[in-house]
Amino acid sequence: MSIKSVDERRLREVALTPDEYRVIVEQLKRAPNEVELGMLGVLWSEHCSYKSSKALLRRLPSTGPGVVQGPGENAGAVEIGQGWSVVFKIESHNHPSAIEPYQGAATGVGGIIRDVIAMGARPVALLDSLRFGPLPESRHHFEGVVAGVGGYGNCIGIPTVGGEVFFEDCYASNPLVNAMCVGLVRTDHLMRARAEGAGNSLMLVGADTGRDGIHGASFASVELDEKRSERRPAVQVGNPFLEKCLLEACMDLSHTDAVVAIQDLGAAGLTSAVAECAGRVDGAGARIDVSRVPRREREMTAYDVMLSESQERMLVVVRRGREREVETIFQAWDLTSAVIGEVTDDGQLTVFDGDDQVARVPVRLLTDGVPMRRLVGLPPEPPYGLEVDALPPLADVGATLLRLLASPNLASRRGVFRRYDHMVGDSTVVAPGGDAAVLRVKGTRLGIAVTTDGNGRYCHLDPHLGAQLAVAEAARNIVATGARPLAVTDCLNFANPDRPEVYWELEEAISGLAYACRMLEVPVVSGNVSLYNDSGGESGIYPTPVVGMVGVMDDYGKRLGAGLRAEGDFVLMIGSSHNDLGGSEYLKVEHGHVAGRPPGLDLTRERAVHRLILSAAQSGYLHSAHDCAEGGMLVALAEACLLGGLGVRCPAMRPEPPLRLDAAFFGESSSRFIVSVPSRAMPEMQSLARRHNVELSLLGLAGGDIIEFEGQMKVSLSDLRTAWESLIT
Amino acid sequence: MIARVIVTPKPVVNDPQGLTVKQGLGALGFTEVTDVRVGKYIEVKLEDGSEHEARRRVEEMCRQLLANHVIEDFHFDLEQEHKRR
Amino acid sequence: MIARVIVTPKPVVNDPQGLTVKQGLGALGFTEVTDVRVGKYIEVKLEDGSEHEARRRVEEMCRQLLANHVIEDFHFDLEQEHKRR
Amino acid sequence: MKFGVVVFPGTWSDRDCGWVVDQVLGHELTYLWHKDTDLGGCDCVILPGGFAYGDYLRTGAIARFAPIMEKVGEFADRGGLVWGICNGFQVLCEAGLLPGALIRNASLEFRCEWTNLLVERTDLPFTAKCGERDVLRVPIAHGEGSYFADPATLSRIEQRGQVVFRYCDADGRVVPSANPNGSLHNIAGVINTRGNVLGMMPHPERCSEAELGGTDGLKLFRSVAENAFKVLVS
Ligand SMILES: Nc1ncnc2c1ncn2[C@@H]1O[C@H](COP(=O)(O)OP(=O)(O)O)[C@@H](O)[C@H]1O
Ligand SMILES: [Mg+2]
């Protein structure tokens, strides 16, 4: 059988290369038929197979003391104590959101929720990490995505408690929409999507199947081209109401022992759900009959049904003979369920359409057969350097602060998160607006802190360091609430890896993530890769690894907020500042450059600072804590004031050379926090800092309604607030 | 001049709202209902002018703002003066 | 049989959506637009039967479910077979 | 005192309300499934927040026809306490148990944030524990919470004192800037003429514990728990 027997156009349609086709023919010892070709095409797509990135992902640490489920399942799981585990994962929905912002974002949220449900966990929180081109041009995308995230999350009743929004030129044609879901489960109820037990039934539950998003997965793996419109039917309309019913029914289900496993249907629909479930069990196979799949549309072919990406569906592996029980549970929620096949032990995925066999492919060929792509990485020309000494000195501190606070990347996100129900569930004990959000675990004193972070600009300037900084920043956000960083989920958003400089960025970023996660002892338990974010013939997005992190605290009564709390408190800076202006928001906003090296990072020092903050929080010395991130110390200080509704009065800032004044105020040095301490706790705080060998300096005293650095700046909170809330329309 | 624009989900696109309304009608005893699709109705009043020109403009409005051509179809009527059917 | 139901906000009810659409159209240069109201369009397919009976039933559906008389008006057309305008 | 919390498909504040009744107040709790046809002997029925039936078509439009609603209507007619919160308020208006309707927020956006409520009636079983013209801090979370009634209805409910809560500023001033959704007369909650059916858009169950940012909502739950008899004997 030669390659000539298949039309090259057809191969392109299913996104397979001639080489891959050759492997298929070799393995099957025959040419695949149409249905088989379609099935292999989607599962061998980058999106499903990770053929360009899998080798690199192995570098990430994925084990640790608390890890009960690492990568490989629908979501990762980590024990948090008292019999509870937290389950979480992040996923991209970049390409669909580029085409239809509302529905793309909405179905992204719907998809990640199902991953958590499949683990038997109840979803308790959502986060959204977003990147757009600059405003105002990107307003349509920005508004649509935010409305879509809210539209789904608000309706289904899971609080959206965190995320990020960045605006940068490189995302103009390639907006990024990453959604993260966090769930809770009793550790002994954790489920795994394994098709165990030949003879057990496969049931499809939830929405009817339509011709939605056929080839969506392969579509996510190619560059968006000019002919977008031809692929437009790939956009799907989500039904959060149906998913809410599905969620509750699955929760009811996970309390029975009639069920062996639950698997969500995501990209590549039924094909991937069945193959993945079977693929997780040695020797397992499945036999399904597409004529038993409930349809939304008439005249659907076996091909359509196998590749449909209709939302809000789940595959349930049911113990033989217990199908009725499952049906009853779904009926109670007015949901359809249908037995569509059974688990076998022949290692084959066999598909029937009524009496006709329409496909038979070894499960292993589907899930692990794709040849890994060996790409080459070549470092690009290093981004032009930054002559810090050539920068003009800081002219007007107050005016600069106002401009920074009003800049789209630093302005308050209240206009975003007030459109999200972030309170439903009665568990949000630290609301969005500060650093990480904190949710209590009802019935215990445990609190979990959640955040997403990633700075594409840093990664563009130095992907290895930038990725480390993302992990460190996420950890800092967790620590700022008084929680211990626990584990990570990551979403790797990159341009076309076939370009050597992009592949190099990917390699570097993954190494950086791996290194930082090892050093901070936060294993990566789940994640997602989104490549080919470079439509429109531009150079593509900055390398943008996004880190989702979860932390835990034993007593949420000791949680900290970012805002100042009491008049007269000492406002301190923890950590030390350097001339870290490279890649800073200050450099971009005030000088129009994206240049230089990102802030240096010493992860041993970073850890020492975390230990200090956590032990001070534990001892009750702190009234608030906020990390210094984009915008540097003065922006962090202003945020702490605005969030707390309290000003601060400081002596003039006199940095010791070679530290520059602009860097002291607006540099983005790592490993720093702004904390407030009641005066009585100051001596203890100071000795604690000495013990941890961490620099502590007094910035000023909390109180009043202005921020003042004597003789250098004096701005009222209300002026600052007006600037900060500029994004709210 | 008044344009009555009707925007409907494309036939192949999932219409959760229509589905739910259909079930709702069924539950109320309207079992003769075989399908429901829910769309938008937009009444646009325009300064008077030529019908030909108005048609062109409204078509343009639909394309640019009123309908989301990724998932929706539209059509419209024009009427010279406002009278309710 | 197909019923095309149009539900519109009563004139006394604020229609912020209509206002926003109007502003949006204005911003896009459609300055000839003097007013916009946004309502719903609901297409209900029915098993075939007498038109008289269908009219009665659809009227009933509107009263009971499809429109809320506190805030909305409705009217509808019936058509024997499905043909798109 | 036994509370019944109604669960429609798409309801999500059921567990939050249940949590307050059960864990915070320590009163008896039962969940009422939308397909149920009795109220399980409860003394107060809560219709909680959510998107019943996705809020498709109109908020509360389909939910009002659920089998349980017939019983809720009968219960209300007998003087039983019915408390609609957020989506529950929308359902009660659709069902005609309360006057008016809730339409899209003027901003056209969903809003989740804290609001201040001026309490205008303290003679009700729902508000007996509030002081005269108390200002309560209670969060909202809705996209369609703008209260509307035609002019005649509006003046009637104002005359009869059926407005229980109004959005106000922190000092209790009922001003437009304190109105989060464009409600007529800043209305956040209304009662029926008999005084036993309350609808409100804000979420008292989200502010019944200090760790959630406030406890003003608990005043309302306490009021019901301790004053239900007032209505039942009337
Ligand atoms: N897209 C979003 N959705 C929800 N919350 C968001 C979003 N973007 C930002 N936030 C919230 O706003 C606050 C500030 O965000 P950000 O400046 O990115 O914080 P940080 O720099 O501490 O990571 C955080 O609480 C964050 O979770
Ligand atoms: Mg932070």
Side-chain angles (χ1 to χ4, degrees):
Chain A
M1 191 61 62
S2 87
I3 173 79
K4 297 203 183 60
S5 62
V6 62
D7 187 339
E8 290 209 6
R9 242 194 62 214
R10 177 72 190 122
L11 275 190
R12 263 201 309 277
E13 238 169 68
V14 295
L16 286 169
T17 65
D19 280 343
E20 288 168 345
Y21 184 74
R22 240 172 254 124
V23 173
I24 292 171
V25 175
E26 252 168 54
Q27 293 289 317
L28 286 177
K29 303 189 180 62
R30 63 179 167 84
N33 66 27
E34 274 294 287
V35 179
E36 291 166 339
L37 194 63
M39 291 165 59
L40 284 155
V42 279
L43 279 196
W44 285 21
S45 69
E46 184 63 51
H47 188 80
C48 294
S49 72
Y50 290 78
K51 58 191 168 191
S52 303
S53 61
K54 208 175 212 164
L56 298 177
L57 294 176
R58 293 203 190 96
R59 295 184 191 169
L60 298 170
S62 61
T63 54
V67 177
V68 282
Q69 180 62 58
E73 275 286 339
N74 288 298
V78 185
E79 191 121 50
I80 54 169
Q82 301 184 37
W84 287 99
S85 283
V86 59
V87 172
F88 57 96
K89 181 163 195 290
I90 192 167
E91 205 158 68
S92 68
H93 229 215
N94 303 336
H95 296 88
S97 307
I99 293 166
E100 216 304 283
Y102 184 100
Q103 294 298 344
T107 50
V109 169
I112 194 65
I113 292 171
R114 290 194 296 281
D115 279 316
V116 168
I117 298 174
M119 303 297 291
R122 177 172 281 279
V124 296
L126 292 166
L127 299 94
D128 60 332
S129 174
L130 314 176
R131 307 285 183 284
F132 304 98
L135 294 175
E137 296 81 7
S138 292
R139 189 160 279 280
H140 167 71
H141 261 104
F142 170 48
E143 294 290 333
V145 165
V146 169
V149 170
Y152 210 99
N154 298 343
C155 180
I156 197 168
I158 301 168
T160 303
V161 300
E164 323 157 72
V165 189
F166 280 102
F167 303 92
E168 191 93 85
D169 293 333
C170 65
Y171 305 111
S173 322
N174 299 275
L176 303 184
V177 176
N178 295 176
M180 171 170 163
C181 183
V182 183
L184 284 171
V185 65
R186 300 294 300 170
T187 306
D188 52 6
H189 276 81
L190 191 69
M191 298 186 72
R192 286 168 178 93
R194 300 164 54 95
E196 308 263 17
N200 282 336
S201 288
L202 295 171
M203 290 179 80
L204 187 62
V205 303
D208 291 350
T209 298
R211 280 194 197 84
D212 299 292
I214 290 170
H215 284 304
S218 16
F219 162 66
S221 307
V222 297
E223 294 171 48
L224 289 177
D225 55 30
E226 288 306 311
K227 290 188 212 140
R228 271 184 188 179
S229 52
E230 279 177 27
R231 294 203 173 97
R232 256 163 193 155
V235 171
Q236 299 157 47
V237 173
N239 186 349
F241 162 61
L242 199 151
E243 184 140 312
K244 167 68 174 167
C245 296
L246 193 59
L247 155 64
E248 294 302 336
C250 287
M251 293 297 108
D252 293 348
L253 209 59
S254 60
H255 291 294
T256 76
D257 63 350
V259 167
V260 178
I262 307 178
Q263 166 69 44
D264 69 293
L265 277 78
L270 198 53
T271 301
S272 136
V274 176
E276 278 181 25
C277 245
R280 293 193 184 104
V281 180
D282 269 338
R287 183 162 42 231
I288 61 174
D289 177 357
V290 293
S291 73
R292 293 156 86 173
V293 171
R295 326 267 172 107
R296 199 179 74 221
E297 290 169 59
R298 263 172 289 173
E299 286 156 23
M300 289 180 67
T301 61
Y303 188 93
D304 293 342
V305 174
M306 288 309 291
L307 297 190
S308 160
E309 297 187 353
S310 289
Q311 300 286 305
E312 291 97 19
R313 299 180 299 164
M314 297 286 234
L315 183 73
V316 185
V317 185
V318 183
R319 278 182 220 288
R320 176 186 223 143
R322 309 283 296 274
E323 298 81 359
R324 250 323 276 165
E325 284 170 58
V326 172
E327 200 187 325
T328 309
I329 287 176
F330 283 90
Q331 253 166 14
W333 290 96
D334 295 318
L335 293 170
T336 44
S337 57
V339 177
I340 60 157
E342 62 179 20
V343 178
T344 63
D345 54 10
D346 61 4
Q348 303 282 323
L349 172 48
T350 312
V351 182
F352 286 87
D353 189 349
D355 292 334
D356 304 330
Q357 180 178 312
V358 294
R360 183 172 171 84
V361 189
V363 169
R364 285 275 172 254
L365 184 64
L366 285 162
T367 56
D368 294 318
V370 63
M372 289 296 125
R373 302 182 69 212
R374 258 179 297 262
L375 299 173
V376 276
L378 274 181
E381 289 288 297
Y384 67 91
L386 171 67
E387 286 290 330
V388 170
D389 293 338
L391 290 176
L394 185 56
D396 183 338
V397 185
T400 303
L401 175 61
L402 286 168
R403 279 193 295 274
L404 280 175
L405 282 178
S407 80
N409 284 340
L410 297 180
S412 165
R413 268 63 184 128
R414 190 164 71 89
V416 174
F417 61 74
R418 75 172 173 188
R419 277 188 267 175
Y420 300 156
D421 189 339
H422 50 263
M423 299 178 179
V424 60
D426 264 7
S427 295
T428 312
V429 293
V430 174
D435 295 309
V438 179
L439 300 139
R440 61 176 175 175
V441 180
K442 279 184 177 171
T444 73
R445 297 298 297 169
L446 294 170
I448 53 173
V450 293
T451 185
T452 69
D453 287 282
N455 182 318
R457 204 180 279 167
Y458 291 169
C459 293
H460 166 63
L461 297 171
D462 182 340
H464 194 268
L465 179 54
Q468 292 180 53
L469 285 164
V471 179
E473 153 84 353
R476 249 174 259 146
N477 280 324
I478 298 288
V479 166
T481 66
R484 299 187 299 282
L486 199 62
V488 160
T489 181
D490 67 310
C491 196
L492 302 172
N493 305 278
F494 285 76
N496 181 351
D498 300 350
R499 287 176 21 222
E501 66 277 18
V502 172
Y503 190 69
W504 175 82
E505 288 171 347
L506 185 63
E507 284 181 301
E508 289 290 300
I510 291 176
S511 301
L513 283 181
Y515 176 66
C517 289
R518 281 217 173 79
M519 289 296 287
L520 297 180
E521 294 181 65
V522 280
V524 178
V525 297
S526 60
N528 177 248
V529 179
S530 169
L531 303 177
Y532 300 99
N533 291 289
D534 39 6
S535 73
E538 296 156 30
S539 51
I541 60 164
Y542 286 166
T544 313
V546 170
V547 172
M549 194 181 285
V550 174
V552 65
M553 63 182 84
D554 298 324
D555 179 3
Y556 66 82
K558 296 200 168 136
R559 70 197 180 282
L560 296 173
L564 301 184
R565 272 197 8 224
E567 194 107 16
D569 278 359
F570 286 77
V571 180
L572 312 177
M573 154 91 110
I574 307 290
S576 50
S577 309
H578 310 279
N579 283 336
D580 288 309
L581 292 173
S584 66
E585 198 60 38
Y586 167 75
L587 196 62
K588 177 78 195 271
V589 171
E590 293 291 290
H591 302 286
H593 298 312
V594 173
R597 256 182 76 73
L601 178 64
D602 174 346
L603 287 162
T604 312
R605 288 204 56 72
E606 181 79 45
R607 285 195 64 152
V609 173
H610 295 184
R611 286 203 203 96
L612 166 63
I613 300 283
L614 291 179
S615 84
Q618 202 56 33
S619 312
Y621 302 157
L622 303 182
H623 266 166
S624 70
H626 184 33
D627 74 309
C628 296
E630 290 85 5
M633 182 280 284
L634 193 52
V635 166
L637 182 64
E639 288 168 350
C641 290
L642 289 164
L643 289 166
L646 271 181
V648 63
R649 175 159 274 145
C650 311
M653 174 69 76
R654 304 238 179 276
E656 269 178 44
L659 182 60
R660 296 164 54 99
L661 189 66
D662 50 4
F665 277 125
F666 302 114
E668 298 181 1
S669 296
S670 316
S671 322
R672 297 182 303 166
F673 287 82
I674 305 266
V675 300
S676 63
V677 177
S679 57
R680 60 183 151 73
M682 267 305 280
E684 287 96 329
M685 190 61 203
Q686 274 164 321
S687 67
L688 201 61
R690 269 194 302 277
R691 216 173 318 139
H692 284 89
N693 196 20
V694 169
E695 195 167 308
L696 172 157
S697 46
L698 178 65
L699 288 173
L701 286 184
D705 53 8
I706 56 167
I707 297 183
E708 178 174 13
F709 278 83
E710 227 176 289
Q712 288 173 323
M713 73 161 280
K714 192 170 174 181
V715 188
S716 74
L717 283 192
S718 76
D719 287 349
L720 291 167
R721 192 175 301 280
T722 307
W724 195 45
E725 306 222 310
S726 62
L727 214 59
I728 296 180
T729 46
Chain B
M1 185 98 67
I2 180 160
R4 302 184 206 283
V5 181
I6 285 175
V7 179
T8 47
K10 279 188 204 288
V12 293
V13 168
N14 192 14
D15 175 20
Q17 186 160 216
L19 198 78
T20 310
V21 172
K22 183 190 158 201
Q23 283 166 358
L25 287 170
L28 284 177
F30 296 105
T31 46
E32 72 268 41
V33 174
T34 58
D35 194 22
V36 177
R37 306 283 290 175
V38 179
K40 271 181 295 218
Y41 168 76
I42 307 161
E43 213 168 77
V44 182
K45 282 196 196 137
L46 305 165
E47 281 162 14
D48 282 335
S50 90
E51 182 171 331
H52 178 77
E53 175 64 7
R55 187 166 300 281
R56 203 182 61 74
R57 295 286 284 178
V58 174
E59 177 103 23
E60 209 36 55
M61 292 177 203
C62 291
R63 285 193 199 292
Q64 287 189 31
L65 186 72
L66 303 183
N68 176 348
H69 64 132
V70 180
I71 48 177
E72 293 170 332
D73 292 326
F74 67 87
H75 61 100
F76 61 89
D77 290 345
L78 276 178
E79 208 178 302
Q80 275 299 346
E81 67 201 281
H82 188 172
K83 52 180 152 70
R84 276 208 170 259
R85 280 176 290 188
Chain C
M1 186 96 70
I2 181 161
R4 304 183 205 283
V5 181
I6 285 175
V7 178
T8 46
K10 277 188 202 289
V12 292
V13 176
N14 265 337
D15 177 19
Q17 211 180 343
L19 205 70
T20 305
V21 171
K22 184 186 158 205
Q23 283 164 355
L25 287 171
L28 286 173
F30 296 104
T31 45
E32 71 267 43
V33 174
T34 57
D35 193 23
V36 177
R37 304 284 290 172
V38 178
K40 273 181 281 234
Y41 169 75
I42 307 161
E43 207 170 82
V44 182
K45 283 197 194 133
L46 305 164
E47 280 162 14
D48 284 336
S50 89
E51 184 171 329
H52 178 76
E53 176 62 10
R55 189 166 298 282
R56 203 183 59 75
R57 296 284 284 178
V58 174
E59 179 100 24
E60 207 36 55
M61 291 177 205
C62 290
R63 284 195 199 294
Q64 283 191 33
L65 182 68
L66 301 183
N68 176 341
H69 68 110
V70 178
I71 45 174
E72 294 167 330
D73 295 321
F74 66 87
H75 62 102
F76 62 90
D77 291 343
L78 276 178
E79 206 179 303
Q80 272 300 346
E81 66 201 279
H82 186 171
K83 51 181 152 73
R84 278 210 165 253
R85 282 175 288 186
Chain D
M1 179 75 192
K2 186 171 179 184
F3 287 81
V5 175
V6 176
V7 184
F8 298 108
T11 295
W12 39 238
S13 279
D14 46 338
R15 297 151 154 273
D16 296 354
C17 291
W19 172 265
V20 173
V21 166
D22 186 31
Q23 301 290 318
V24 183
L25 271 184
H27 279 264
E28 213 184 324
L29 168 72
T30 180
Y31 287 105
L32 303 170
W33 185 234
H34 64 113
K35 293 176 186 170
D36 286 351
T37 48
D38 81 84
L39 300 183
C42 62
D43 309 299
C44 173
V45 176
I46 296 179
L47 299 170
F51 282 63
Y53 297 92
D55 274 352
Y56 292 135
L57 195 64
R58 280 187 320 281
T59 59
I62 300 179
R64 68 166 275 221
F65 292 107
I68 192 81
M69 283 308 293
E70 204 177 311
K71 299 295 154 186
V72 171
E74 289 169 15
F75 181 65
D77 287 345
R78 292 200 309 272
L81 291 187
V82 177
W83 186 5
I85 297 170
C86 193
N87 198 220
F89 185 14
Q90 295 162 337
V91 174
L92 290 173
C93 287
E94 279 284 337
L97 289 168
L98 288 173
L102 293 142
I103 61 173
R104 194 90 183 261
N105 291 355
S107 62
L108 298 179
E109 285 177 3
F110 189 95
R111 280 293 153 80
C112 175
E113 59 194 1
W114 288 84
T115 62
N116 295 299
L117 303 181
L118 181 67
V119 182
E120 301 211 339
R121 291 276 302 268
T122 54
D123 59 334
L124 297 167
F126 301 95
T127 52
K129 293 234 150 229
C130 300
E132 286 296 322
R133 301 188 72 76
D134 251 2
V135 175
L136 307 181
R137 267 187 86 235
V138 185
I140 55 165
H142 59 245
E144 308 192 24
S146 176
Y147 186 79
F148 173 85
D150 62 68
T153 309
L154 195 60
S155 72
R156 196 170 63 239
I157 63 176
E158 287 286 9
Q159 264 161 30
R160 293 181 182 158
Q162 284 177 254
V163 176
V164 182
F165 304 113
R166 261 185 246 274
Y167 299 109
C168 64
D169 66 13
D171 304 320
R173 285 180 303 235
V174 178
V175 288
S177 60
N179 185 339
N181 55 25
S183 278
L184 293 178
H185 297 195
N186 281 33
I187 290 173
V190 297
I191 190 101
N192 64 345
T193 44
R194 183 166 173 178
N196 64 323
V197 178
L198 172 69
M200 61 191 294
M201 286 313 294
H203 285 276
E205 80 283 4
R206 295 186 179 186
C207 54
S208 290
E209 288 166 279
E211 37 276 73
L212 299 177
T215 55
D216 285 353
L218 198 58
K219 285 189 188 174
L220 306 184
F221 281 93
R222 283 236 169 84
S223 298
V224 174
E226 291 165 32
N227 293 278
F229 66 92
K230 276 194 187 162
V231 164
L232 295 179
V233 297
S234 72

